[in-house]
Amino acid sequence: MMLVRLMYASRAVPSIDQDELHAILRQSKLNNPGRGITGLLCYSGGIFIQALEGGRSAVSQLYNRITTDPRHTDVVLLSYEEIGERRFAGWSMGQVNMARLNPALLLKYSATATLDPYSVSGKVSLALFDELVATASVMC
Ligand SMILES: Cc1cc2nc3c(=O)[nH]c(=O)nc-3n(C[C@H](O)[C@H](O)[C@H](O)COP(=O)(O)O)c2cc1C
């Protein structure tokens, strides 16, 4: 089976609150295992970044569905690649713990210590996710 990794950014609608964020994560953790999807979801300052890994059809179907979700807008595809192995295999949908996000990590890859996937390359956002995993900033 062909494995792929896809990453996108989006802007949460202004009304999104902690409850809705939890609902999205709950829904993802419920649905993803059955579809062979793993990944990470990061939410900070009204911006989502999500990485989805899995079979090509499963990832494509889920991404198409997510792009029509009214809880966010401005969905931009940051990165798509065929992969030999998963990076986020341990998470049906891991949540990036922003409280543990080191500002120095953001500065490493961008001009300011704010998360702005719209102004950096997809490679940079992916590198940031890798470091978050390496520094144990991901919650189950
Ligand atoms: C930022 C964001 C990320 C999401 N990630 C996932 C996901 O990883 N898996 C998933 O099944 N649904 C995800 N959703 C929800 C889907 O858009 C959709 O509401 C859901 O898959 C429908 O599930 P249901 O058939 O159980 O109602 C996400 C939604 C948003 C706004």
Side-chain angles (χ1 to χ4, degrees):
M1 183 183 70
M2 178 68 63
L3 276 179
V4 303
R5 183 182 310 113
L6 179 158
M7 185 179 239
Y8 72 85
S10 64
R11 297 186 198 280
V13 293
S15 61
I16 228 126
D17 58 17
Q18 206 60 29
D19 282 352
E20 278 192 275
L21 193 57
H22 283 140
I24 291 170
L25 283 162
R26 205 166 41 240
Q27 209 171 18
S28 304
K29 287 171 187 170
L30 205 68
N31 292 338
N32 292 353
R35 297 171 182 156
I37 301 275
T38 54
L40 297 185
L41 180 65
C42 176
Y43 175 74
S44 172
I47 290 177
F48 287 115
I49 305 181
Q50 187 173 35
L52 301 169
E53 301 174 324
R56 181 166 60 192
S57 299
V59 168
S60 228
Q61 275 168 28
L62 180 58
Y63 178 66
N64 286 336
R65 180 164 206 172
I66 289 173
T67 57
T68 66
D69 195 306
R71 292 172 286 193
H72 62 176
T73 58
D74 301 343
V75 181
V76 168
L77 186 60
L78 298 176
S79 161
Y80 177 86
E81 57 185 327
E82 295 180 347
I83 55 173
E85 59 186 53
R86 295 176 195 249
R87 278 187 197 160
F88 314 120
W91 295 278
S92 60
M93 190 43 62
Q95 186 184 4
V96 175
N97 185 350
M98 295 309 291
R100 291 186 64 178
L101 192 58
N102 182 350
L105 191 55
L106 288 170
L107 278 176
K108 182 173 176 180
Y109 294 108
S110 61
T112 63
T114 52
L115 186 72
D116 185 6
Y118 291 96
S119 72
V120 299
S121 75
K123 275 200 177 104
V124 161
S125 293
L126 206 51
L128 184 63
F129 263 34
D130 281 345
E131 294 228 25
L132 292 171
V133 172
T135 57
S137 307
V138 181
M139 301 184 287
C140 292

